[in-house]
Amino acid sequence: MLALLLLFIFGTLLAVALRADDLSGLPSDFWPTVWFTLMQATLSGALSVLLAIPVARALMRRSFRGKALLIALLGAPFILPVIVAVLGLLSVFGRGGLLNTAVGWFGGDPVSVYGLTGILLAHAYFNLPLATRLLLQGWQDIPQGRVRLAQSLGMRGMAAFRHIEWPMLRDRAPGIFLAIFTICLTSFSVILLIGGGPRATTIELAIYEAFRFDFDLGKAALLALVQFAICGFVAVIALQTRLPQSAGSGVGHTTLPVLSNTKGIGAFDGLAIFLATAFLLIPLGMMLAKGVSALGDMHGAVWPAAIRSLVIAVASALGSVVMALALCLFALSLRRGAALIDGLGFLILATSPLVMGTGLFLIVFPFVNPTSVALWVTGLVNATVAMPFILRSILPALQQAERDHGRLADSLGLLGWARLRWMLVPRIRPALGFGAGLAAALSMGDLGVITLFSDPQRATLPMEMFRLMSSYRQDSAMAAALLLVGLSFGLFWLFDKWGRRYA
Amino acid sequence: MTHRPNPPSVPWQNGEMTMKLTSLAVGLTLAATPLAAQDVLTVYAPDYFGSEWGPGPAIETAFEATCDCDLQFVTGDPLQRLLLEGERTKADAVIGLNTDVTKKARETDLFAPHGQDTSDLTMPIAWNDDVFLPFNWGQTAFIYDNTKLDTPPTSFDALLAMPDDVKIVIQDPRTSISGLALMLWVKQVYGDDAQNAWEQLAPKILTVTKGWSESYGLFTDGEADMVLSYVTSPAYHIIAEDDLTKSAAIFEEGHYFMVEVAGQLKTTDQPELTQAFMDFILSPAFQTIIPEGNWSFPAKLDDSLLPEKFSLLNIPEKTLFYSEDQAAAVRDSALEEWRAALRQ
């Protein structure tokens, strides 16, 4: 398993590098590119995490009707295809969007989002949901006993925050920041849609340029290495700041650690939830409205593509869960296992999809016809690329379960399969469901890496959507996008619901 | 009749959106199930080609009617794939390459002459290449909505002089074939002054997208006033949507020529069938598929055989073009000028 992952991550890079004529030559604007990549990824990660803290905290503390649905819906942007999400954002923040219409009423000058603003906006849009969900899980994982203790000690306000919530944030936030940083590090489609021009050039774009414009595999491989290096460098810094939570056991999940409940805080929570909902759901709603009005243009070829995508999504989600679980269990048996898993997760995220796709092609091509293994490769690659999210979701839950119940399980002689079945899976079920849902949805929306493996007769739904777009049929494409969003979300919802059923 | 709209030169456009989007690539086994007795002709083509809305299916049907064979398109980025595969490639022919990559393709030394007479093509420039055979062409142009823009620019100079609140969307020359064509267009019109021209254009550029589709989507969504596309783009709106509001702004300096070509591989194990395919490309059966199959001009088809409504298009009088060697010579420096001007 580990070997397979390392093959995907480094083997593909090696394959590309070996095929290159020489390994020299960085692009002329290398340093500005590195600087811009670092800056936008850092800002995007920081922004997403900082915004997510009040939202997750508010969601944790308040209970209201439809909360579960809202939490699920708030996850939707993360699984949207880039073009759909960005067109949605533009219908709110764009030149002709709601915002500028409103500004126009008051006689203001139009606001332009193109450039760094737009990039940060889009990255926050995609990643705020992820950060919120992961933080929410952090809050839920705070042991109940600790909250009760705090309550009985009469801790309130800042003191409670400092002793109960802050340690959790110190533990979780750096990792979440790093995950989002790395996602944004390899971001490429967003930047080329809303970035405004060559000022906004990232390393991933430079890799693309090396492949497409220069046909220079050596340059591409070198840039991919730089990308790994940056990710590694930032990982070291971010994880240094991390304070693992000291062991503290307690039973079950807390529901409402409302330690201070003044009016002001209630209003603040309400505002945080309201703003996040508006920010995340209005653009989505605008796109859905467009898709619904275009439903009549839904093209017949879209349906078989949708079924193909569904099958791949479910298969790769299951594959991804199995691989992630196996890896985590293996890692927990090692002394520095958690660090290994963390590192691996980030390596996968930092992998350039282009390099991975090309490398795989080079590895496979001498042995079989790449088109004939397209399905397998696609499933495997999707499973691999989705894995960091599952790892990030289940590892803390697994560690917690081991901390809380490990000794008891040991004393009962609960080992191996039985331990997994009776002790671990029930405890990590929410995390598992969430991770699998995310993996399925991401795979549905296409994490694909493999243009080189495509088979024209068997397109997937995102492929079909893009073909429609590139044949002037924007309306039909939006209808297909609606279907895509609906299916992705449906899958995510089902898996997530499974996870939370007994939680 | 397949009536499958596609913009003229989408080859890279679909490829362009790769990564997260197009790429997924799925498919179980070989596309069709050929009868054992039939010869299979494998042709590499860009992704748009094989889609239901591309010209591929119609071409496949038409060609298979002339031979007892099975024509299979393998889609993706044809040249990229060929470069990776080298002499071990299974392709018999490649279709849908653009002139910006023909030099690179030629240097692989994998291609054999096409063997066609190209003296009487219906293209605005003479064609003497005996390796790569053109099958359709068009010109780059800025498309606008004629109900919103009363006085479209009639020259590149006029475009540069427009107020900065007129917003255009263009494609990135590093990722898009049409974006590259625009870069070469500006270079040819302005020469040493190209960087200055880009600096004047910069404030009007709303954003630079990876591919044609994203730009065109922003334009039809109303985000931008003009979009870099093709002279033939309005034909889709006129014919398929009965919409006459989209027009191409015609510039007096001329418009940049874009052509897509096909080539046959030396390494093919069935040279006769491959040659038959090359012979088929310039035949009316193939060429009549192009106007509404790929929304562009056929390389060899009398004007009288074009769809009637093509006469409603604004057609430039002057065509600009760099040969592949000229383009290769100016490409890198033109890119630096573009980058420098738009970085500010």
Side-chain angles (χ1 to χ4, degrees):
Chain A
M1 189 96 58
L2 208 55
L4 181 75
L5 287 178
L6 292 177
L7 171 79
F8 273 30
I9 298 167
F10 294 115
T12 51
L13 176 59
L14 191 67
V16 171
L18 287 178
R19 188 75 170 79
D21 298 327
D22 63 298
L23 267 184
S24 63
L26 287 168
S28 64
D29 59 347
F30 176 71
W31 287 111
T33 301
V34 169
W35 162 241
F36 182 81
T37 309
L38 261 175
M39 177 189 61
Q40 64 84 11
T42 308
L43 288 177
S44 302
L47 200 64
S48 303
V49 173
L50 289 180
L51 290 178
I53 291 176
V55 180
R57 190 159 187 258
L59 282 173
M60 183 66 222
R61 293 147 51 105
R62 303 292 138 195
S63 70
F64 48 88
R65 274 171 66 95
K67 178 172 149 178
L69 181 69
L70 181 69
I71 291 179
L73 270 178
L74 289 184
F78 187 68
I79 56 188
L80 285 182
V82 172
I83 176 82
V84 177
V86 172
L87 286 179
L89 276 175
L90 289 176
S91 65
V92 175
F93 299 97
R95 262 184 99 212
L98 297 177
L99 180 69
N100 272 325
T101 313
V103 168
W105 286 339
F106 297 105
D109 286 330
V111 182
S112 171
V113 292
Y114 295 90
L116 186 61
T117 326
I119 293 174
L120 295 183
L121 192 72
H123 280 162
Y125 185 74
F126 281 115
N127 296 308
L128 178 59
L130 179 72
T132 305
R133 278 304 293 263
L134 291 174
L135 279 176
L136 196 57
Q137 216 169 55
W139 255 290
Q140 279 166 345
D141 291 344
I142 295 177
Q144 183 111 49
R146 221 186 273 189
V147 178
R148 294 226 182 90
L149 182 65
Q151 270 167 339
S152 66
L153 287 174
M155 257 187 220
R156 322 188 115 257
M158 275 316 287
F161 179 77
R162 205 170 64 229
H163 292 289
I164 306 292
E165 297 172 281
W166 180 241
M168 183 282 293
L169 285 176
R170 281 294 299 269
D171 180 34
R172 301 283 170 98
I176 300 173
F177 163 79
L178 188 56
I180 295 173
F181 171 89
T182 318
I183 295 172
C184 297
L185 189 70
T186 55
S187 169
F188 163 73
S189 301
V190 169
I191 287 174
L192 264 174
L193 206 48
I194 203 172
R199 247 167 319 200
T201 294
T202 54
I203 297 176
E204 187 68 22
L205 173 55
I207 293 177
Y208 193 90
E209 183 183 343
F211 271 120
R212 295 274 177 151
F213 193 81
D214 305 326
F215 299 97
D216 188 341
L217 296 181
K219 197 196 264 184
L222 213 56
L223 285 165
L225 268 180
V226 171
Q227 199 151 288
F228 279 131
I230 290 182
C231 177
F233 177 68
V234 175
V236 168
I237 297 179
L239 297 181
Q240 283 294 317
T241 64
R242 181 176 167 181
L243 267 191
Q245 228 165 333
S246 55
S249 52
V251 185
H253 300 292
T254 51
T255 41
L256 271 177
V258 181
L259 295 169
S260 55
N261 197 9
T262 62
K263 231 181 195 153
I265 294 209
F268 182 75
D269 283 351
L271 187 69
I273 294 177
F274 172 76
L275 287 180
T277 309
F279 173 53
L280 295 176
L281 296 189
I282 292 178
L284 184 66
M286 298 287 282
M287 280 330 279
L288 295 189
K290 219 176 264 186
V292 169
S293 65
L295 271 184
D297 291 327
M298 184 74 85
H299 201 282
V302 163
W303 299 108
I307 292 174
R308 235 168 267 134
S309 286
L310 267 179
V311 171
I312 294 173
V314 172
S316 57
L318 295 180
S320 204
V321 164
V322 171
M323 288 203 290
L325 206 51
L327 262 176
C328 281
L329 291 177
F330 168 70
L332 284 182
S333 68
L334 302 178
R335 233 164 52 86
R336 297 197 43 95
L340 174 80
I341 292 290
D342 260 347
L344 199 64
F346 292 121
L347 275 178
I348 297 174
L349 284 181
T351 303
S352 157
L354 264 174
V355 172
M356 199 200 269
T358 310
L360 270 178
F361 180 87
L362 285 169
I363 293 170
V364 165
F365 165 72
F367 307 104
V368 283
N369 177 357
T371 312
S372 68
V373 293
L375 181 72
W376 296 104
V377 174
T378 304
L380 261 180
V381 169
N382 280 0
T384 308
V385 182
M387 210 155 65
F389 302 104
I390 303 189
L391 290 175
R392 182 130 295 279
S393 172
I394 65 175
L395 186 66
L398 268 179
Q399 284 174 312
Q400 185 85 39
E402 281 289 351
R403 265 203 301 265
D404 293 353
H405 306 282
R407 262 173 281 172
L408 178 66
D410 286 342
S411 68
L412 290 173
L414 206 54
L415 294 169
W417 179 249
R419 188 187 186 98
L420 185 67
R421 170 76 184 79
W422 298 108
M423 184 198 116
L424 293 176
V425 169
R427 314 250 164 262
I428 63 165
R429 199 165 150 149
L432 213 52
F434 172 69
L438 213 53
L442 287 172
S443 172
M444 188 79 206
D446 211 342
L447 291 162
V449 167
I450 0 178
T451 24
L452 287 163
F453 291 83
S454 83
D455 177 344
Q457 258 71 33
R458 288 159 205 273
T460 55
L461 188 51
M463 257 172 102
E464 213 63 291
M465 185 189 94
F466 259 87
R467 287 170 161 187
L468 282 164
M469 271 197 85
S470 63
S471 60
Y472 290 93
R473 300 174 170 229
Q474 309 274 346
D475 286 345
S476 304
M478 284 308 125
L482 177 67
L483 182 65
L484 178 58
V485 173
L487 291 176
S488 301
F489 190 70
L491 280 179
F492 175 73
W493 170 255
L494 280 178
F495 277 108
D496 196 35
K497 192 156 177 66
W498 171 85
R500 285 183 296 133
R501 210 165 66 198
Y502 302 110
Chain B
M1 175 71 219
T2 25
H3 148 86
R4 308 207 140 136
N6 228 299
S9 288
V10 213
W12 300 68
Q13 274 148 23
N14 261 331
E16 282 155 9
M17 13 205 116
T18 49
M19 315 266 325
K20 187 156 183 179
L21 295 152
T22 8
S23 10
L24 219 219
V26 153
L28 239 181
T29 32
L30 295 167
T33 21
L35 297 174
Q38 277 184 332
D39 293 324
V40 175
L41 182 71
T42 305
V43 178
Y44 284 3
D47 193 49
Y48 83 88
F49 218 85
S51 99
E52 186 144 349
W53 306 280
I59 291 168
E60 186 178 334
T61 311
F63 182 65
E64 286 172 359
T66 69
C67 72
D68 180 29
C69 68
D70 179 23
L71 169 59
Q72 292 186 0
F73 288 111
V74 172
T75 56
D77 179 343
L79 181 61
Q80 192 82 36
R81 183 158 175 167
L82 216 54
L83 287 173
L84 294 174
E85 293 178 345
E87 284 184 1
R88 293 174 298 177
T89 183
K90 304 244 170 28
D92 298 307
V94 174
I95 196 164
L97 298 177
N98 286 91
T99 36
D100 72 313
V101 296
T102 47
K103 188 177 170 67
K104 190 81 189 175
R106 203 184 303 278
E107 284 164 2
T108 61
D109 208 23
L110 290 169
F111 288 91
H114 55 63
Q116 310 299 310
D117 174 13
T118 55
S119 63
D120 56 349
L121 300 181
T122 50
M123 303 204 305
I125 61 158
W127 193 263
N128 311 314
D129 187 335
D130 59 1
V131 173
F132 293 109
L133 184 65
F135 64 94
N136 69 187
W137 61 277
Q139 291 128 327
T140 48
F142 285 94
I143 305 295
Y144 65 98
D145 183 332
N146 56 36
T147 61
K148 292 181 185 156
L149 205 61
D150 299 332
T151 46
T154 55
S155 65
F156 229 116
D157 282 340
L159 175 71
L160 300 189
M162 288 185 94
D164 285 350
D165 60 354
V166 173
K167 293 295 179 192
I168 63 173
V169 260
I170 62 171
Q171 297 99 55
D172 195 314
R174 295 168 294 175
T175 56
S176 153
I177 175 68
S178 43
L180 182 62
L182 172 65
M183 188 184 88
L184 295 173
W185 187 11
V186 171
K187 186 70 191 168
Q188 192 145 44
V189 170
Y190 291 100
D192 291 342
D193 247 2
Q195 183 165 340
N196 185 24
W198 277 114
E199 280 164 13
Q200 290 180 55
L201 199 58
K204 290 179 257 298
I205 297 173
L206 183 69
T207 193
V208 183
T209 68
K210 179 165 58 154
W212 174 91
S213 310
E214 294 98 331
S215 285
Y216 213 79
L218 288 176
F219 169 67
T220 52
D221 253 20
E223 271 292 290
D225 303 301
M226 301 179 94
V227 58
L228 175 72
S229 186
Y230 309 95
V231 163
T232 41
S233 296
Y236 170 77
H237 300 285
I238 295 172
I239 294 174
E241 297 182 333
D242 239 346
D243 170 10
L244 293 168
T245 63
K246 308 288 189 294
S247 305
I250 300 301
F251 292 173
E252 59 197 29
E253 293 95 340
H255 288 247
Y256 198 78
F257 179 73
M258 292 184 69
V259 61
E260 279 183 283
V261 302
Q264 61 177 332
L265 289 146
K266 278 179 185 167
T267 48
T268 174
D269 50 3
Q270 38 197 4
E272 281 162 32
L273 184 59
T274 310
Q275 187 61 54
F277 181 69
M278 298 305 287
D279 296 344
F280 175 68
I281 288 176
L282 292 181
S283 73
F286 182 111
Q287 292 290 306
T288 48
I289 292 169
I290 293 301
E292 289 181 33
N294 207 18
W295 300 106
S296 60
F297 294 115
K300 188 180 177 183
L301 194 69
D302 194 75
D303 279 359
S304 62
L305 295 173
L306 285 175
E308 207 179 310
K309 287 182 174 168
F310 263 59
S311 63
L312 295 172
L313 296 175
N314 296 341
I315 304 294
E317 287 183 3
K318 197 172 161 198
T319 299
L320 305 174
F321 185 55
Y322 278 123
S323 72
E324 69 184 37
D325 289 327
Q326 289 169 319
V330 299
R331 208 178 75 139
D332 289 345
S333 62
L335 183 72
E336 287 316 315
E337 290 165 1
W338 175 86
R339 225 195 292 255
L342 296 195
R343 256 190 183 282
Q344 286 167 5

